[in-house]
Amino acid sequence: MSKNKNTKIVMDKDGIDRCLTRIAYEILEKNKGMQNLVLVGIRTGGVYLAQRLQKKISDIERDKIPLGILDVTLYRDDISASNKKPRLGETKINFSLDDKVVVLVDDVLFTGRTIRAAMDALIDFGRPKMIQLAVLIDRGHRELPIRADFIGKNLPSSLWEAVRVDLVEKNGVDEVVIEEES
Amino acid sequence: MKLLLTGARIIDPAQNIDSRMDIFLEDGKIAKIGTDISKSLKSKSSEKITKIIDLTGMIIVPGLIDMHTHLREPGFEYKETIASGVAAAVAGGFTSIACMPNSNPVNDNRSTTEFIRRKAAQAALANVYPIGAISKDSAGVKLTEFWDLKEAGIVALSDDGKPVMDAALMRRAMEYGFSLQLPVISHCEDTNLSGGGLMNEGYYSTILGLSGIPGIAEEAMVARDILIAEFTKTSIHIAHVSTAGSVHLIRDAKKRGLKVTAETAPHYFTLTDESLQSYDTNFKVNPPLRSEQDLKAIKEGLADSTIDVIACDHAPHGRTDKEVEFEYAANGISGLETSLALSLNLILDKTLNWPELIAKMSTNPARILNLPKGTLEAGADADITVIDPLLQWTVDLQTFRSRGKNSPFNGRRMQGKAVLTIVGGEIKYDGR
Amino acid sequence: MKFEKKDILGIKDLSIDEINLILETAESFLEISTRKIKKVPTLRGKTIINLFYEASTRTRTSFEIAGKRLSADTINISASTSSVVKGETLIDTARTLEAMNPDVIVIRHSASGAPHILASLVKQSIINAGDGAHEHPTQALLDMMTIKERKGKISGLKVAIIGDIEHSRVARSNIYGLSKMGAHVVLAGPATMLPRDIEQMGTKVFSRIEDALVDADVVMMLRIQLERQKQNIFPSLREYSQHYCLNRSNIKLAKKDVIVMHPGPINRGVEISPDIADDPSCSVILDQVNKGVAVRMALLYLLTGGSE
Ligand SMILES: [Zn+2]
Ligand SMILES: [Zn+2]
């Protein structure tokens, strides 16, 4: 949030909201309704987006779509390599995933490693019929063969840039910014 | 060999000397001591001096005597041999040491005493005076042959390490020993009270979960031995005093005119049980390191002459004795090479002055053991320790001459060191 | 905050922040035990050695499950101090273990300080699973976790620890931990079981159980080791249980919603009457077991998470 870095706002509050509305419709269109459909947000940014999607979808369908929260820390492949011991968050999936269509929700799709970890975790929870992926931003630079089913915005970026999604629930403001790392 | 030592400050408590003088050694004896020796000797060309050593800035004292050393040979040569022990002694400034009998076999017989003296003569560094066992195998049951041992060369009696629990046996030993002018040295510990203990009983034993040795385990026996000495009109020397209670008992006994003498070791006025928090087995000694109040009382006892002697209780051990769980580790500190520097701290902190300290490390132990040592009088044996009082150095176990590398003082900054140790007129250690 | 410790040797060395981090992390791990697949791949490829010089099926199993649920390879070594030449074992074993290059060594030993000596000899992380009468940090952490869950907090609670304090590592670790977290710890036991200067740890000490129980929020009963009778620290089990057993009548002195804890295994009828031990309205003894795995998973995670 420090403004002295070279930062650029690439999406504002309305932009984010429009993206999420479109994604909500796309999810329902692709899955022909919310039958068998569940949302799982990836901690932490993905959780807030999943909550917003839950509201939008429930409003459209007039029925509440189940929402789970997933902390993928324990499934990451870089735990021992990193110097930070990530603080563990709560995982809360209070429903069976068996034969469900799971829509994973995250804020930024980058290398794909977080999604890989999330898929491993989901499979430990049960046997979903299908896993789909919804992200607000796809910034490229994939290191694994993973692609998103629903994308808010493609944002080609350089490796020296950081893409940050600020959300009201987390940072008090809705915006997507690119920061140049010095 | 003729040696002239010039320019040093000479301190000899036995003669009440503390001044700048020269000292001339000839044929293993102190030939002359005085202010104008160097001039008069130089003028007489007939007197050929082999060596003149300028010791300006140094302090010359009667050779230091450690009356409580464990040499480990025979039996535990991996811990220390007589040869390595005397090498450590001269490096630490000691010209004479008295060694405790708890070798294997125990020095409870003439042939072991003779063996020790023979080995010491071969090593030819410091003088070694064996201490004989009070009881056979130090088992606390049957007296050894004091007379025979005395003829073989022992200077005192002790079952150090294995406290004499039987008060009647202790009484007999003190009576019989006294009649032969053999001082009895008592390791005061009631083993029922100390049973299984690993460190001083107090706050630190409580938080460390190590079973405690209460101060009264020592004090009960100090009191007992003083009572026996009083009743039988004999003498007793209390080894390694570690508690305030013992200091009080001994002070009181001396006030009443009893023939009680006492020693403490440098670790008891340097360290407390607080240092055991790392579970470092180098701090494990018996008696154990005590509390801050005990340490203070020991210093007071040294200052008011309740405690006559500073002895090392040099207890060398091998790595396998110490690199184990605290519970299983052997007791003891390899002390000959750090004792003097640690004791010099008593001068720095004004507990003692120089003559008082030297009395406790040379004159008094000589007197207690009836040794013809501990003085720089003309005609005395030329046993001399030269101390550089300002030398700054760091304890490094790897440089120890002792085989026992078990010291809690490794890495400690020290001030003051023996730089020249002369035994019988010959230089046995030169650390200049 | 970052967890910087290499070893967990005792609660004494942990800060309040570190204790909180461990407890919070453990709470997250509690959820894994409720999953269908109770295993996460976090410590795949890591090796944990459980080095037990003292038999303890409960603690060893708990560490083993914790390691396995994190996908680590766990190796159990039961060593004995009596069968080998005295003393040589720990050092020799340490050198051998170090050559095996494990990531964590969990050690239980009858000699106080053995984990400290091991930690000074090897570069691996050491977790103290109980040493002599010194500390049992994982037990205290799971006790704190249990109290926090039942009472919502630790700070301000009155905790009474009853029994053989002198020989109890559980007592020492809990005195450190609970005091740091703001609880008011009181102790009671026969004078022969209260170690010298224990009140300097910041606790009140009583020789009668009733005095300690007054208004207690938590009562922690310690196990009496029957072989201690030989040391004359109590004349007979009969007399001990008559005066120091927690029962229906003396528990009334405590708060109405008091919880009763015991590190196990319980001597029913000696330190705690069976109807109290088995009463789910106050006894949290089974809860304690459940928390054990989560706390140990948290420690393994925190100790291995950050080293390269
Ligand atoms: Zn002794
Ligand atoms: Zn000794």
Side-chain angles (χ1 to χ4, degrees):
Chain A
M1 274 131 284
S2 68
K3 297 285 179 198
N4 41 7
K5 269 190 196 166
N6 201 356
T7 63
K8 196 171 83 195
I9 298 174
V10 290
M11 199 188 284
D12 61 7
K13 184 178 184 305
D14 292 341
I16 291 174
D17 193 56
R18 276 194 294 273
C19 281
L20 290 175
T21 306
R22 175 171 50 76
I23 290 173
Y25 279 106
E26 282 176 3
I27 289 171
L28 288 169
E29 187 188 0
K30 176 164 178 151
N31 295 292
K32 301 182 175 65
M34 57 170 277
Q35 196 74 14
N36 250 358
L37 203 63
V38 299
L39 296 174
V40 172
I42 299 174
R43 268 190 186 276
T44 52
V47 174
Y48 305 121
L49 294 174
Q51 282 165 346
R52 294 188 192 187
L53 282 173
Q54 180 192 35
K55 187 167 184 303
K56 286 188 189 293
I57 292 172
S58 300
D59 284 351
I60 300 163
E61 297 288 299
R62 293 167 211 287
D63 195 0
K64 194 154 191 193
I65 178 168
L67 169 66
I69 294 171
L70 188 62
D71 184 289
V72 301
T73 308
L74 297 171
Y75 287 81
R76 282 169 53 170
D77 55 10
D78 57 350
I79 270 215
S80 19
S82 80
N83 249 328
K84 281 202 205 100
K85 280 151 229 184
R87 198 151 191 143
L88 273 194
E90 195 189 13
T91 289
K92 208 156 110 190
I93 301 178
N94 298 327
F95 43 83
S96 165
L97 294 182
D98 291 346
D99 291 320
K100 294 280 172 14
V101 174
V102 178
V103 180
L104 267 177
V105 182
D106 203 358
D107 49 4
V108 179
L109 177 57
F110 185 23
T111 61
R113 288 182 191 271
T114 303
I115 306 304
R116 195 279 310 158
M119 289 194 291
D120 280 355
L122 284 182
I123 285 162
D124 277 356
F125 272 89
R127 190 182 181 286
K129 186 170 170 236
M130 188 186 282
I131 298 176
Q132 297 171 359
L133 175 61
V135 297
L136 184 63
I137 302 292
D138 181 350
R139 61 169 293 194
H141 304 291
R142 213 77 76 240
E143 291 169 7
L144 295 170
I146 281 170
R147 57 158 191 80
D149 300 271
F150 314 103
I151 298 167
K153 184 180 174 67
N154 280 300
L155 194 66
S157 61
S158 91
L159 278 170
W160 294 272
E161 289 167 331
V163 176
R164 199 180 73 225
V165 176
D166 291 337
L167 295 171
V168 171
E169 298 91 324
K170 190 165 59 163
N171 321 86
V173 57
D174 276 355
E175 62 185 18
V176 179
V177 296
I178 290 189
E179 276 178 356
E180 211 172 312
E181 290 191 350
S182 43
Chain B
M1 173 115 155
K2 293 173 187 181
L3 263 180
L4 179 64
L5 310 179
T6 65
R9 171 182 171 193
I10 294 186
I11 297 172
D12 181 11
Q15 304 180 77
N16 252 321
I17 291 175
D18 181 357
S19 63
R20 200 165 306 279
M21 282 196 275
D22 301 333
I23 185 163
F24 181 51
L25 316 179
E26 189 173 16
D27 300 328
K29 301 282 179 192
I30 294 169
K32 257 181 216 156
I33 177 165
T35 41
D36 46 4
I37 302 176
S38 82
K39 266 187 233 156
S40 68
L41 283 182
K42 275 175 203 159
S43 56
K44 278 191 269 176
S45 52
S46 58
E47 198 99 43
K48 196 171 182 310
I49 298 162
T50 43
K51 204 168 180 185
I52 301 173
I53 304 177
D54 178 15
L55 295 172
T56 305
M58 304 289 146
I59 294 179
I60 288 180
V61 301
L64 303 181
I65 299 170
D66 182 41
M67 67 177 290
H68 192 145
T69 289
H70 295 269
L71 284 181
R72 307 301 188 201
E73 188 178 0
F76 306 102
E77 288 80 359
Y78 75 98
K79 296 176 194 257
E80 190 85 288
T81 61
I82 291 169
S84 65
V86 291
V90 294
F94 293 95
T95 55
S96 296
I97 56 179
C99 62
M100 285 296 174
N102 63 336
S103 48
N104 185 21
V106 169
N107 184 15
D108 58 5
N109 60 80
R110 175 184 278 270
S111 64
T112 304
T113 302
E114 284 169 348
F115 168 84
I116 293 167
R117 297 188 65 199
R118 196 162 60 242
K119 283 278 179 175
Q122 282 166 10
L125 288 169
N127 303 303
V128 174
Y129 296 99
I131 296 169
I134 290 172
S135 63
K136 277 273 161 216
D137 212 24
S138 286
V141 179
K142 198 176 176 304
L143 289 187
T144 56
E145 295 170 321
F146 290 6
W147 209 300
D148 200 36
L149 282 163
K150 176 162 180 154
E151 282 171 3
I154 66 159
V155 296
L157 294 158
S158 183
D159 274 355
D160 185 48
K162 285 207 175 165
V164 180
M165 284 296 288
D166 181 339
L169 183 81
M170 194 60 169
R171 173 195 172 167
R172 297 304 175 210
M174 284 163 67
E175 287 174 330
Y176 192 33
F178 189 70
S179 71
L180 296 175
Q181 279 115 47
L182 281 174
V184 173
I185 302 172
S186 179
H187 170 129
C188 290
E189 177 186 352
D190 183 319
T191 53
N192 290 322
L193 279 169
S194 65
L198 302 166
M199 65 175 291
N200 182 47
E201 182 173 339
Y203 172 68
Y204 290 103
S205 65
T206 290
I207 64 167
L208 293 172
L210 294 171
S211 53
I213 301 173
I216 53 166
E218 174 174 315
E219 291 148 13
M221 295 305 251
V222 170
R224 181 200 74 175
D225 291 350
I226 288 172
L227 289 172
I228 297 173
E230 181 171 22
F231 180 70
T232 57
K233 301 187 175 65
T234 59
S235 69
I236 188 71
H237 177 79
I238 309 292
H240 41 55
V241 171
S242 73
T243 76
S246 298
V247 174
H248 295 148
L249 288 164
I250 296 161
R251 182 178 291 135
D252 175 63
K254 287 191 164 188
K255 262 190 203 141
R256 290 189 287 127
L258 305 182
K259 289 186 278 293
V260 177
T261 53
E263 80 194 24
T264 191
H267 35 276
Y268 300 117
F269 57 74
T270 308
L271 300 170
T272 65
D273 55 357
E274 194 182 349
S275 352
L276 275 89
Q277 287 188 92
S278 59
Y279 291 99
D280 183 341
T281 58
N282 284 314
F283 291 89
K284 190 179 177 191
V285 278
N286 189 23
L289 300 176
R290 304 286 188 182
S291 71
E292 196 65 49
Q293 295 97 287
D294 291 308
L295 183 146
K296 239 185 103 225
I298 297 285
K299 284 192 175 184
E300 285 162 11
L302 284 162
D304 72 2
S305 293
T306 299
I307 298 172
D308 308 87
V309 170
I310 296 168
C312 297
D313 198 358
H314 175 74
H317 286 293
R319 291 181 62 167
T320 52
D321 302 314
K322 282 290 193 182
E323 282 190 355
V324 295
E325 292 90 330
F326 198 87
E327 203 168 318
Y328 309 136
N331 287 305
I333 289 172
S334 178
L336 282 169
E337 289 162 89
T338 52
S339 178
L340 175 61
L342 292 169
S343 302
L344 288 172
N345 285 328
L346 296 172
I347 295 176
L348 295 175
D349 73 12
K350 308 245 184 321
T351 303
L352 300 175
N353 61 34
W354 271 96
E356 285 166 343
L357 178 71
I358 299 309
K360 289 182 202 299
M361 297 189 77
S362 180
T363 324
N364 297 348
R367 190 191 72 231
I368 292 164
L369 298 177
N370 307 305
L371 304 179
K373 303 275 185 189
T375 177
L376 298 174
E377 240 175 308
D381 292 341
D383 289 1
I384 285 172
T385 303
V386 179
I387 301 166
D388 180 345
L390 297 176
L391 183 72
Q392 304 277 331
W393 62 289
T394 303
V395 180
D396 177 3
L397 292 179
Q398 296 323 307
T399 66
F400 271 25
R401 278 144 177 95
S402 169
R403 287 199 179 174
K405 313 289 185 210
N406 50 306
S407 169
F409 301 112
N410 193 30
R412 183 180 277 244
R413 293 286 302 151
M414 300 279 205
Q415 181 179 323
K417 197 176 188 304
V419 289
L420 199 59
T421 307
I422 298 169
V423 182
E426 285 178 33
I427 295 173
K428 297 297 186 183
Y429 171 77
D430 190 346
R432 286 173 303 156
Chain C
M1 68 169 291
K2 255 170 88 175
F3 196 78
E4 307 275 8
K5 290 267 185 309
K6 169 190 168 259
D7 311 300
I8 303 290
L9 300 179
I11 301 289
K12 182 170 184 268
D13 317 322
L14 295 176
S15 67
I16 295 171
D17 285 347
E18 284 167 334
I19 292 173
N20 275 323
L21 176 61
I22 294 167
L23 295 182
E24 278 162 30
T25 308
E27 269 152 33
S28 305
F29 278 112
L30 217 45
E31 178 262 335
I32 292 174
S33 304
T34 66
R35 293 184 191 174
K36 235 188 315 182
I37 294 177
K38 300 174 176 51
K39 191 166 179 160
V40 289
T42 320
L43 300 189
R44 208 164 39 196
K46 304 263 181 197
T47 304
I48 297 162
I49 293 180
N50 292 322
L51 178 60
F52 275 61
Y53 282 89
E54 214 179 46
S56 164
T57 315
R58 297 157 59 97
T59 307
R60 204 211 60 219
T61 310
S62 181
F63 269 108
E64 195 177 345
I65 294 173
K68 289 203 151 88
R69 286 197 177 155
L70 288 167
S71 298
D73 295 317
T74 58
I75 299 165
N76 294 319
I77 301 177
S78 301
S80 111
T81 41
S82 57
S83 66
V84 203
V85 183
K86 200 171 88 176
E88 280 188 357
T89 48
L90 185 60
I91 310 299
D92 293 349
T93 311
R95 306 236 154 94
T96 313
L97 292 182
E98 187 158 42
M100 291 162 67
N101 203 21
D103 298 279
V104 179
I105 301 173
V106 176
I107 177 174
R108 157 72 67 104
H109 202 298
S110 60
S112 299
H116 300 67
I117 293 169
L118 188 63
S120 70
L121 289 166
V122 303
K123 59 178 187 293
Q124 282 83 5
S125 288
I126 305 296
I127 299 179
N128 180 0
D131 64 326
H134 177 229
E135 280 226 42
H136 194 349
T138 58
Q139 177 71 42
L141 287 164
L142 72 89
D143 287 345
M144 287 189 266
M145 193 177 171
T146 308
I147 293 172
K148 213 173 152 192
E149 187 191 69
R150 285 298 181 114
K151 297 286 180 189
K153 59 171 186 180
I154 295 173
S155 181
L157 297 179
K158 178 176 176 184
V159 183
I161 307 180
I162 316 286
D164 186 358
I165 311 290
E166 163 114 56
H167 297 98
S168 176
R169 50 194 173 213
V170 175
R172 285 173 179 76
S173 287
N174 266 309
I175 293 170
Y176 279 126
L178 293 167
S179 306
K180 278 183 199 196
M181 303 305 281
H184 172 50
V185 181
V186 298
L187 311 173
T192 46
M193 296 183 180
L194 300 170
R196 198 169 175 79
D197 298 338
I198 182 80
E199 61 287 344
Q200 283 182 34
M201 290 182 81
T203 61
K204 267 224 171 72
V205 186
F206 301 100
S207 57
R208 294 170 61 93
I209 180 171
E210 291 80 8
D211 295 334
L213 289 178
V214 174
D215 289 334
D217 297 282
V218 179
V219 180
M220 203 176 273
M221 301 304 295
L222 301 174
R223 180 181 161 78
I224 285 295
Q225 281 168 305
L226 307 182
E227 64 272 18
R228 300 270 177 225
Q229 217 171 318
K230 282 185 233 132
Q231 301 170 350
N232 276 320
I233 63 170
F234 60 107
S236 69
L237 274 187
R238 194 184 69 93
E239 179 151 310
Y240 181 84
S241 62
Q242 269 174 9
H243 299 284
Y244 292 97
C245 182
L246 184 71
N247 56 40
R248 277 286 166 222
S249 112
N250 59 23
I251 202 174
K252 290 200 185 89
L253 295 165
K255 290 234 179 87
K256 261 206 168 83
D257 59 349
V258 67
I259 57 169
V260 176
M261 311 180 78
H262 191 294
I266 306 175
N267 297 308
R268 280 186 162 69
V270 177
E271 61 254 6
I272 188 164
S273 74
D275 56 327
I276 290 182
D278 302 329
D279 179 354
S281 72
C282 63
S283 171
V284 296
I285 295 166
L286 284 176
D287 265 29
Q288 287 173 271
V289 179
N290 187 21
K291 305 282 185 297
V293 174
V295 157
R296 286 160 187 137
M297 286 173 85
L299 290 180
L300 292 173
Y301 169 73
L302 289 170
L303 286 178
T304 54
S307 49
E308 58 304 48

